Amino acid sequence: MTLRFYGVEDLEKLPQLKVLSESYRVAMKAVAQVLPFRTNSYVIENLIDWDNIPEDPIFRLTFPQPEMLAPQLLSKIIWLLENNSPKAHIQEIASHIRSTLNPHPAGQVEYNIPTLDGQRVPGIQHKYPETVLIFPTAGQTCHAYCTFCFRWSQFVGSDSFKFATRESGTFQAYLQNHKQVTDVLITGGDPMVMQARHLALYIEPLLNKEFEHIQTIRIGTKSVAYYPNRFVDEQDSDDILRLFEKVIAQGKHLAIMAHYDHWKEIEPEIAQQAIKRIRNTGAEIRTQAPLLRTINDNPEVWQRMWNSQVRLGCIPYYMFVQRDTGASRHFEIPLVRAWEIYQAAIQKVSGLARTARGPVMSALPGKIVVDGVAKVGDEKVFVLSFLQGRNPDWCRRPFFAKFDENATWLSDLKPGFGEKEFFYELMACNG
Ligand code: SF4
């Protein structure tokens, strides 16, 4: 199929949107001035139930929603649009609003950019000792944009916001200098927007002898949901699969980190065909998604999604907590509710689907999972632990935070049992 993309200018033209009120449509257009909007013909024709908008989860996942901006900001942009303000002025205001939306959560700019020979290496993040993230320049976009996206700042066209590099050579030099790295995660945007021959430029060198220390190559992608044809009937679909086979033939592990937010994305026949074709190469598919208010904040959605994934041979991996960025005010869920949803879903699936870990915050000190809520003596606490820490020694040490029914992120939490700091803050202070 030929994929067609839709952007902000199409919000006025799409006939399917005419069932929404005029004010809803104007508000969507206003939100799209600030946060990036892009969807495609596959999503429109196969994933959205147009008889159920605006409630349809995939509609909410891909089309701008009025509640994504604070009411006073939304009114301001609507006023500017209705009064035909110059485009440049609207963009200036939009850009200011964006800068207030925490465009780089978890200290991505300050903490995760590594250096090589004293120079910063753009296009790479190295947060945990064994894993390096690579952001190929050509993969800094997606087949459609998710409304909640924490990487939204990469799509709005300001170079200072981009983590990218044009040179796979730089990545190789960095990896050659870091023999402790075993895992490379190629991510974006979505690297699967790249042509097979471009993707090969990043992957094939890692199959050479000097990269024996790289055991696993992961590819983070939403294309399995937003454009499964990518693996089935595009011009270079077979080349992609041959590339995957090459990785496996070299004795490396290839994991497709597939992003599915809802079971609706996995049910079309073409989506299942894509999974089958990927798995036939020897690659494994691990699945992950954040928990999102109005999209998948219901245990039954996760239960059905995880069950479908296991049936198709995928491995449920993470249920994330929505990050503190972009339109998070609209999508976030209190941590206690997130844990309740996880717990209610995981208890109803078989052991094979209980590989899903959650709810997990990918925060500045590391990946922290909410293990539960407990009462010890008179104090109600969250029980938490690290799945990954900036300091590997933090991994799986339980710690406690005062229970707070409104807390939605790590920064809202205070240490439990009268402690002044969390243990990892103390360890960080003590070097
Ligand atoms: S696919 Fe991933 S990177 Fe792309 S918009 Fe969605 S969440 Fe963001």
Side-chain angles (χ1 to χ4, degrees):
M1 82 180 266
T2 312
L3 195 64
R4 183 176 162 202
F5 293 106
Y6 296 81
V8 59
E9 61 291 348
D10 297 300
L11 288 172
E12 280 169 22
K13 296 182 213 147
L14 268 172
Q16 293 94 327
L17 296 176
K18 299 285 183 227
V19 295
L20 298 172
S21 69
E22 172 72 16
S23 61
Y24 203 101
R25 281 182 284 142
V26 171
M28 286 170 72
K29 198 174 155 196
V31 172
Q33 308 300 311
V34 179
L35 296 163
F37 164 60
R38 176 190 231 198
T39 192
N40 69 51
S41 45
Y42 174 81
V43 172
I44 287 180
E45 288 161 24
N46 297 277
L47 298 184
I48 296 175
D49 174 2
W50 292 101
D51 292 331
N52 184 33
I53 63 164
E55 278 75 29
D56 180 81
I58 309 299
F59 176 71
R60 302 187 76 81
L61 180 66
T62 50
F63 280 78
Q65 300 300 315
E67 308 86 358
M68 286 166 58
L69 285 183
Q72 71 277 18
L73 298 177
L74 181 66
S75 308
K76 188 167 187 172
I77 302 277
I78 290 176
W79 188 90
L80 292 170
L81 287 174
E82 289 182 337
N83 287 278
N84 294 320
S85 289
K87 224 174 169 179
H89 181 54
I90 298 178
Q91 274 317 303
E92 198 184 317
I93 305 281
S95 167
H96 173 69
I97 296 174
R98 280 196 290 273
S99 70
T100 66
L101 297 176
N102 189 21
H104 297 297
Q108 287 184 71
V109 169
E110 306 86 356
Y111 291 89
N112 299 332
I113 309 282
T115 55
L116 184 65
D117 301 330
Q119 301 289 318
R120 284 160 70 93
V121 189
I124 289 186
Q125 287 184 24
H126 194 174
K127 184 169 175 184
Y128 307 116
E130 71 285 354
T131 307
V132 161
L133 274 65
I134 292 179
F135 296 76
T137 305
Q140 297 312 301
T141 185
C142 304
H143 290 108
Y145 295 155
C146 309
T147 39
F148 71 84
C149 178
F150 72 90
R151 296 214 167 114
W152 59 275
S153 64
Q154 287 166 212
F155 308 139
V156 292
S158 162
D159 272 350
S160 64
F161 277 144
K162 282 191 180 175
F163 294 107
T165 182
R166 291 174 202 287
E167 293 298 335
S168 110
T170 319
F171 300 145
Q172 291 168 45
Y174 185 81
L175 293 172
Q176 264 172 335
N177 271 276
H178 292 81
K179 298 285 185 200
Q180 83 277 23
V181 175
T182 55
D183 286 44
V184 167
L185 168 60
I186 303 175
T187 184
D190 190 333
M192 294 312 306
V193 299
M194 293 161 71
Q195 292 177 7
R197 62 195 169 91
H198 290 153
L199 188 60
L201 288 177
Y202 296 91
I203 292 181
E204 280 178 347
L206 304 183
L207 308 182
N208 295 336
K209 205 161 169 37
E210 62 267 33
F211 293 105
E212 256 173 357
H213 58 296
I214 306 297
Q215 295 171 11
T216 299
I217 297 173
R218 309 186 207 176
I219 301 176
T221 183
K222 176 87 189 167
S223 56
V224 281
Y226 280 165
Y227 187 42
N229 300 67
R230 185 72 195 93
F231 302 95
V232 180
D233 54 12
E234 267 216 324
Q235 211 178 8
D236 65 350
S237 295
D238 287 349
D239 299 338
I240 290 279
L241 301 178
R242 296 300 82 78
L243 177 63
F244 290 1
E245 281 168 0
K246 253 190 207 174
V247 176
I248 306 296
Q250 281 302 312
K252 303 216 191 258
H253 182 75
L254 178 65
I256 305 303
M257 312 306 292
H259 170 187
Y260 292 105
D261 295 287
H262 199 279
W263 52 259
K264 287 184 75 165
E265 297 169 319
I266 212 168
E267 302 212 335
E269 207 199 310
I270 185 89
Q272 304 199 7
Q273 219 181 322
I275 291 174
K276 210 175 187 177
R277 283 171 64 90
I278 294 169
R279 291 195 61 237
N280 280 345
T281 67
E284 169 179 278
I285 302 176
R286 289 183 184 255
T287 63
Q288 53 191 19
L291 186 52
L292 302 161
R293 199 164 70 80
T294 75
I295 292 175
N296 59 20
D297 53 338
N298 175 339
E300 279 150 31
V301 170
W302 289 84
Q303 184 192 336
R304 181 163 169 181
M305 181 163 71
W306 286 336
N307 278 337
S308 299
Q309 289 167 355
V310 168
R311 178 174 55 80
L312 294 164
C314 306
I315 304 170
Y317 192 44
Y318 279 131
M319 172 200 271
F320 284 115
V321 176
Q322 159 66 3
R323 286 197 187 204
D324 52 342
T325 179
S328 61
R329 57 178 296 283
H330 174 53
F331 295 110
E332 68 191 10
I333 292 172
L335 290 175
V336 61
R337 182 67 194 132
W339 173 70
E340 284 166 359
I341 291 172
Y342 173 82
Q343 209 260 344
I346 206 86
Q347 65 181 268
K348 294 211 182 85
V349 293
S350 89
L352 290 182
R354 292 187 189 183
T355 45
R357 297 177 292 179
V360 174
M361 290 175 274
S362 194
L364 183 59
K367 282 200 176 71
I368 296 177
V369 62
V370 180
D371 287 317
V373 175
K375 199 155 180 214
V376 182
D378 287 339
E379 189 165 342
K380 197 172 175 188
V381 287
F382 281 114
V383 183
L384 306 147
S385 62
F386 280 88
L387 294 177
Q388 274 279 23
R390 283 184 181 277
N391 178 343
D393 191 42
W394 298 346
C395 189
R396 295 319 291 198
R397 288 178 185 240
F399 65 103
F400 306 94
K402 269 188 198 159
F403 180 76
D404 176 347
E405 63 179 358
N406 298 315
T408 57
W409 192 251
L410 184 65
S411 50
D412 299 330
L413 297 178
K414 304 268 178 309
F417 306 121
E419 295 291 330
K420 289 211 166 38
E421 293 182 275
F422 289 117
F423 84 92
Y424 58 88
E425 294 170 319
L426 279 169
M427 285 173 79
C429 289
N430 296 337

